[in-house]
Structure formats: C-alpha cells, structure tokens
Amino acid sequence: MSDRPLTRNIDPVAGPTWIKTYEANDGYQAVRETIGQRSPADVLDMVRESNLRGRGGAGFPTGMKWSFVPMGKTDGHKYLVCNADEMEPGTFKDRIILEYDPHQLIEGMILSAYTIAADVGYIFIRDEYHVATRRLRQAIAEAEQKGYLGNDILGTGYDFHLYVHVSAGRYICGEETALLNSLEGKRATPRAKPPFPQVSGLFGRPTIVNNVETLCNITHIVGKGPDWFKSLGLGDDSGTKLFGASGKVKRPGCWELPMGTTIGEIIEDHAGGMREGLALKGFLPGGASTDFLLPEHLDLRMDYDTIMQAGSRMGTGTMIIMDDKTCPVAMVRNLEMFFARESCGFCTPCREGLPWIFRILDDIEEGRGMPEDMEVLDRQGRFIGAIGNTHCAHAPGAIEPLSSAIRYFREDFEQHIQGKRCPYAGG
C-alpha cells in the first residue's frame, strides 16, 4: 500500500496518467467494488470514520458535511461540485492532480456522488488552467467509454454525468455559494446562509461542494478503508496532505506528506531551507489569507488544531515564505491590493474598507505614511476582521496577514513612517 496515495501516479516527466495505466494500478477498483455492491450509507460511514477533513482550507469534517444532504433519491437532481478554482495566492497543489492524474479525481467524484445519490457533477475550474481543463475532458471521455460515467454505470442502474465548467475567474468563487451563483450564470456573490447548499444549492437542489484534494481522498478511503487512512497521519488528523512552499527557499515546490508533518521539516528538508544569505523572518502557513507565524513556530505540526492554537490557520497547507530581506509592508500591501480587487462588492466594509487599507499601506511603503495611519489600520483590522461584520469571510481572511504583520513586525511599519521611505529599498 502506498503511503503517498495522492501522488503515486504523478510523474511530470512521463506525463499524465491515462485510463489504461490508471486501471493497471488499481484505478476504478473502488468504483467496481462499491457501485451497486455497497449501500450509500455504508460509504458515508467509511468517510465519517476516516476523519477526513476538507482540504480546501476550512478543514470541516467531510462525512459530517455530507450527512446534511437529504439521503436517498428525490424528485429532481442532486449535484456534486468540485471546486478546482484554486485562486488562493501561494496555492498550487490541486493543479498537479488535475494535470497528471485526472482519473483519480473522476473516481473520487463517482464514489462521492454515489454516496449522496447525486446524478450530475461539475468540475468548476479556473480559466487559466488550460492544460488541466483539456486533460480532464479527455479523461472524462475515457471514463464514459469504459462505462464508469453516464447512464447505468457498470450495469448497476446508477446514473452520473460529469462536466467541466470553466470559470470566468474570480477569487470569491472559492466561497462555495459564490461558486454556485457563478455556475448558474449569475454574479459571483456569496449567498446568505441558511439555507445551506446541502439542502438548497445549485438551482435550488441539494448540493455538495468539495475541493479537488478532498474528493481524491475518497478514492483511497473507500478502496483501502478508514483505518488505513487514519494510520497515515502523525497526529489527530488523518491521511496525507499536499503541502507546499513558495518564496526564497532553495527548492520551492509541493509534496505529499503525512498530516502532522512539522513546519521545520517542510521548509528545511523538502524546500531545502532559505537561499544563501537569507534568513527566515516569517511565513503564511496556509496561503495568503492566513496569519503570519515566526521562526519560533518551526517545531509545530501542520495540522488544523495545532496551527489554530498558534494563532493562524493551516488553510491550504501551502506556505508563503518571507525572508529577512523582504519588506513585510510591501508584501502585505501586495496581498491587500489583490484582496481589494477580488471583493465581490456586496457589503460596504469589504468593498470600501479593503481599498482604503491598500491606499494606507501604499502611502506607508512609498514614504507618505503618517503616525495616525497605524491607528486606522488597527481599527479597520478589528472591525473588518470580525466574523459577522461582513457578508462572507473574504474580508476577515484578507485582514489576517495584515493584523498579524502589524502584531509581529510593527517596528517595520513605524520605520517606514518615521524615515519617510522603505528601509528595505534596494536591499
């Protein structure tokens, strides 16, 4: 049994794994042994027992999420939607699976759809992923020819049709109800909840939205059992995880490692440590919308609860590394510019507050900052960053890197204001 189930078929030199090779490596075996052979309730129990948590950032228990869907057949469609938009800055993990092992995702979606009795599925993918889109469509065609997709799958009477939907491209589509609005052809604005998508989602029908990596894990949980999956983790969280590191490390990249691998091992052993002449100043542990952590946190395990207790979130598990020659004010300014541009514009604190924050940071970085700017940033961070003050979690996520940068690197902000210039300029 592979201890790297998600990446066992991935070899960029050899190219994508098509259906003949995928089947030769036990591909679609879980589908053959499950559809019509196990009850959906039994599969749901396996997912619950596995302790799989969503790999898109929130870490919500997958089995619990699925259990909110009205079980059994209903009048009308049920939908399964894969979120393959992957627009979190610093995140590039799902693209590896989409491009090099598309059948793994398809098999995971078939098993997931069977569990919730969904008959239609969509892979919602960002427009820039041209290669992934092309390979997914080819893999779907192969699966249809083999009888794994379409009507009467493998003669069991179960129907499931799968489509690729290319997104117009907005970061807000990472919020599942904004994604569903976009999929319906509407403006990508998050919906008020309740009702939740599990009861009233796509076109008002019961819908589950899961991340690529989450759905791929279903293939292995069903094929090898929840106890095997739990044994892969090093702590309370089960399975493996696609971890990544970007920034001025020697070997930026993405690796499948056990849940609970320490931050230090990821940065030092897998990413090769910092480049020559540079030292680690801080890092965002789970993409751009997480709080900074410091070198003193290198011994922490990368799992949901440990990183939360340290004052941040594991998020996507893809770290953005900041070295001691990179200006934290400039880095945060860049992130806030992105978040301000990607606001859906529905609520005032996000629509007006994030551009205001960006303008203040721009002034500070360019030498126009005033001492009172820090008070404004503090106040804005407390207001916009509070869950419940905005329509969705976009603005609170945007505030996390800012508030933590002020908390840990406030001296850098003050040096900009006092010196009327960026002290890192030309460094």
Side-chain angles (χ1 to χ4, degrees):
M1 291 186 180
S2 172
D3 59 355
R4 301 288 186 270
L6 296 171
T7 55
R8 62 178 185 157
N9 294 327
I10 293 177
D11 182 353
V13 176
T17 300
W18 298 118
I19 198 163
K20 183 177 180 180
T21 305
Y22 186 73
E23 287 180 314
N25 198 16
D26 297 328
Y28 290 109
Q29 181 176 333
V31 167
R32 292 190 293 269
E33 294 177 349
T34 300
I35 308 298
Q37 307 297 317
R38 293 175 171 140
S39 71
D42 287 341
V43 182
L44 180 58
D45 285 342
M46 295 177 73
V47 177
R48 279 198 191 111
E49 292 171 16
S50 73
N51 192 32
L52 172 65
R53 298 176 67 170
R55 303 303 203 231
F60 193 81
T62 304
M64 183 183 295
K65 183 175 184 176
W66 291 6
S67 69
F68 299 144
V69 175
M71 301 308 289
K73 291 186 177 181
T74 58
D75 294 331
H77 295 297
K78 286 185 185 178
Y79 295 100
L80 174 68
V81 180
C82 172
N83 182 354
D85 213 38
E86 196 165 49
M87 288 190 68
E88 177 81 5
T91 299
F92 45 86
K93 63 184 181 66
D94 293 338
R95 178 175 59 84
I96 297 169
I97 294 175
L98 297 170
E99 291 187 358
Y100 292 101
D101 198 10
H103 281 288
Q104 181 181 197
L105 173 61
I106 293 170
E107 183 172 13
M109 292 192 70
I110 295 168
L111 293 165
S112 303
Y114 176 75
T115 306
I116 63 171
D119 60 334
V120 179
Y122 292 96
I123 300 173
F124 187 95
I125 190 168
R126 62 186 293 183
D127 178 64
E128 292 85 353
Y129 279 9
H130 303 296
V131 174
T133 298
R134 185 172 65 250
R135 291 177 179 175
L136 279 169
R137 285 176 170 155
Q138 182 173 338
I140 288 172
E142 289 183 331
E144 289 173 340
Q145 291 172 358
K146 284 280 190 171
Y148 298 123
L149 286 172
N151 293 325
D152 193 23
I153 292 174
L154 300 177
T156 63
Y158 174 61
D159 304 338
F160 180 59
H161 296 268
L162 183 59
Y163 307 96
V164 176
H165 177 89
V166 179
S167 162
R170 290 301 303 271
Y171 173 71
I172 197 64
C173 289
E175 201 283 336
E176 62 180 8
T177 61
L179 182 155
L180 295 177
N181 273 343
S182 179
L183 193 52
E184 290 180 4
K186 301 173 183 175
R187 179 177 174 178
T189 301
R191 301 175 182 177
K193 294 180 282 191
F196 292 92
Q198 294 94 317
V199 177
S200 179
L202 186 63
F203 303 116
R205 301 297 304 163
T207 304
I208 284 291
V209 182
N210 277 127
N211 167 262
V212 171
E213 188 181 348
T214 308
L215 292 166
C216 287
N217 274 300
I218 302 301
T219 301
H220 309 292
I221 291 169
V222 175
K224 298 176 182 176
D227 290 338
W228 167 85
F229 185 74
K230 287 190 285 189
S231 73
L232 297 178
L234 299 178
D236 293 335
D237 288 331
S238 303
T240 60
K241 179 79 182 70
L242 295 178
F243 292 111
S246 61
K248 294 180 182 178
V249 289
K250 292 177 181 175
R251 296 190 301 272
C254 183
W255 312 272
E256 183 181 4
L257 301 168
M259 285 288 287
T261 299
T262 65
I263 295 169
E265 179 181 335
I266 296 171
I267 294 177
E268 296 297 330
D269 296 349
H270 299 282
M274 303 303 295
R275 295 180 192 173
E276 297 299 329
L278 299 176
L280 177 65
K281 186 179 181 73
F283 59 94
L284 302 170
S289 60
T290 57
D291 290 87
F292 276 99
L293 293 179
L294 303 174
E296 65 194 53
H297 296 114
L298 290 177
D299 291 336
L300 295 182
R301 293 188 180 276
M302 279 289 276
D303 62 50
Y304 296 101
D305 294 339
T306 300
I307 302 303
M308 182 70 74
Q309 291 166 6
S312 187
R313 293 183 298 110
M314 193 180 81
T316 60
T318 50
M319 293 183 281
I320 303 176
I321 311 298
M322 182 175 68
D323 61 276
D324 62 341
K325 300 294 178 63
T326 293
C327 174
V329 177
M331 180 174 174
V332 173
R333 176 185 65 169
N334 186 49
L335 294 176
E336 297 307 323
M337 178 175 63
F338 170 83
F339 289 125
R341 288 177 174 177
E342 292 299 320
S343 170
C344 77
F346 182 84
C347 63
T348 303
C350 187
R351 182 185 65 247
E352 306 297 335
L354 293 182
W356 185 11
I357 286 172
F358 165 71
R359 289 193 296 270
I360 292 174
L361 291 171
D362 192 53
D363 284 344
I364 294 174
E365 176 64 15
E366 297 300 324
R368 300 186 298 270
M370 305 293 289
E372 53 267 30
D373 288 340
M374 296 304 298
E375 180 183 349
V376 175
L377 290 177
D378 285 333
R379 186 171 65 249
Q380 285 286 81
R382 289 193 301 272
F383 177 72
I384 300 176
I387 297 293
N389 285 352
T390 55
H391 184 57
C392 76
H394 175 81
I399 291 300
E400 289 186 29
L402 171 65
S403 294
S404 57
I406 293 174
R407 181 166 64 251
Y408 291 130
F409 314 121
R410 193 178 191 96
E411 183 178 343
D412 289 289
F413 286 81
E414 293 172 347
Q415 286 178 355
H416 280 71
I417 294 171
Q418 294 166 5
K420 297 295 182 181
R421 61 182 293 273
C422 174
Y424 292 82

